[in-house]
Amino acid sequence: MDIIIYISLAGIAIAIGYGIMLYNRLVDIKHAVSQAWANIDILLKQRHDELPKLVETCKQYMGFEQETLKQVIAARSQVATAREAGNVGALGSAENKLRVGLGNLFAVVEDYPELKASEKFQHLQARITGLENSIADRREYYNEAVRINNVRIEQFPDVIIANWFKFKPRDLLEFSDADKQDVNIGQLFG
């Protein structure tokens, strides 16, 4: 009789240990998603801080191209609002508008040789382009962390622990097919 009790207690201890291991792994994955989002957030803040400098530099040379500058400023505001709210879906749309606005701005700069030659503009353009590339890299890392999270909370036996402790799926940072299209520069000047 004693051996059955010991076997039962050992089985319960193993099940509890396994449950704790699953829970800890889900917590680790949840925090990896949060860290990946924080990395994107930092880059978005840095770009947010650089854009007014770029716009101000451009204003000095581009007196009549105010509409292009207004597009960049409006898109910057939409990105900031979505970022602060943590709204991943709205952020994807706002990011596209900002990308298009920056593409328009950099295309218009071609008509201003003094601005294009400006050391300050070149520095800001390189800085923003570098931030754009970093954001794209971090978006891939974030989406992979989200994928792992979403798969694990649906897999058995993790789903039991995930439901019990209310682990939630996270949204991917995606762009629609329309958002992924290259900007048609010819249409901008047509």
Side-chain angles (χ1 to χ4, degrees):
M1 187 69 120
D2 288 339
I3 200 149
I4 294 174
I5 292 174
Y6 289 129
I7 292 173
S8 297
L9 288 176
I12 291 171
I14 289 171
I16 289 172
Y18 186 66
I20 290 170
M21 183 186 71
L22 290 178
Y23 174 82
N24 288 339
R25 181 65 183 140
L26 289 172
V27 168
D28 184 51
I29 291 169
K30 179 179 83 168
H31 287 288
V33 172
S34 296
Q35 180 183 2
W37 178 255
N39 290 339
I40 291 173
D41 195 45
I42 289 168
L43 293 169
L44 292 173
K45 285 178 187 175
Q46 288 175 352
R47 186 187 58 196
H48 183 81
D49 293 342
E50 294 293 328
L51 287 174
K53 296 173 193 172
L54 179 69
V55 168
E56 194 55 42
T57 300
C58 291
K59 279 182 181 178
Q60 295 172 5
Y61 294 92
M62 300 169 54
F64 63 91
E65 296 289 349
Q66 295 301 311
E67 189 58 37
T68 303
L69 296 175
K70 286 179 186 175
Q71 286 177 346
V72 171
I73 292 168
R76 173 185 176 257
S77 177
Q78 289 176 353
V79 168
T81 301
R83 181 187 56 77
E84 289 168 7
N87 186 340
V88 176
L91 181 63
S93 176
E95 276 289 312
N96 180 61
K97 289 177 184 172
L98 183 57
R99 187 178 63 85
V100 168
L102 285 172
N104 294 345
L105 178 63
F106 292 146
V108 169
V109 164
E110 297 296 321
D111 293 338
Y112 296 88
E114 290 178 14
L115 174 59
K116 191 175 174 184
S118 164
E119 210 172 295
K120 184 175 180 181
F121 174 79
Q122 289 176 357
H123 170 74
L124 289 169
Q125 183 180 22
R127 173 86 170 119
I128 290 170
T129 300
L131 287 169
E132 292 292 324
N133 293 335
S134 295
I135 290 168
D137 289 343
R138 290 298 173 181
R139 188 179 74 234
E140 287 180 28
Y141 175 72
Y142 170 79
N143 282 343
E144 180 60 16
V146 167
R147 186 194 67 75
I148 290 168
N149 178 72
N150 293 350
V151 167
R152 287 296 298 261
I153 65 173
E154 291 181 15
Q155 287 180 332
F156 184 81
D158 298 41
V159 69
I160 296 167
I161 302 293
N163 287 336
W164 195 8
F165 288 100
K166 309 238 185 290
F167 286 87
K168 301 288 182 203
R170 301 288 290 267
D171 293 329
L172 294 170
L173 181 53
E174 295 183 307
F175 301 119
S176 70
D177 289 338
D179 294 342
K180 295 176 190 174
Q181 299 296 320
D182 284 336
V183 178
N184 185 340
I185 301 297
Q187 285 182 336
L188 297 175
F189 298 104

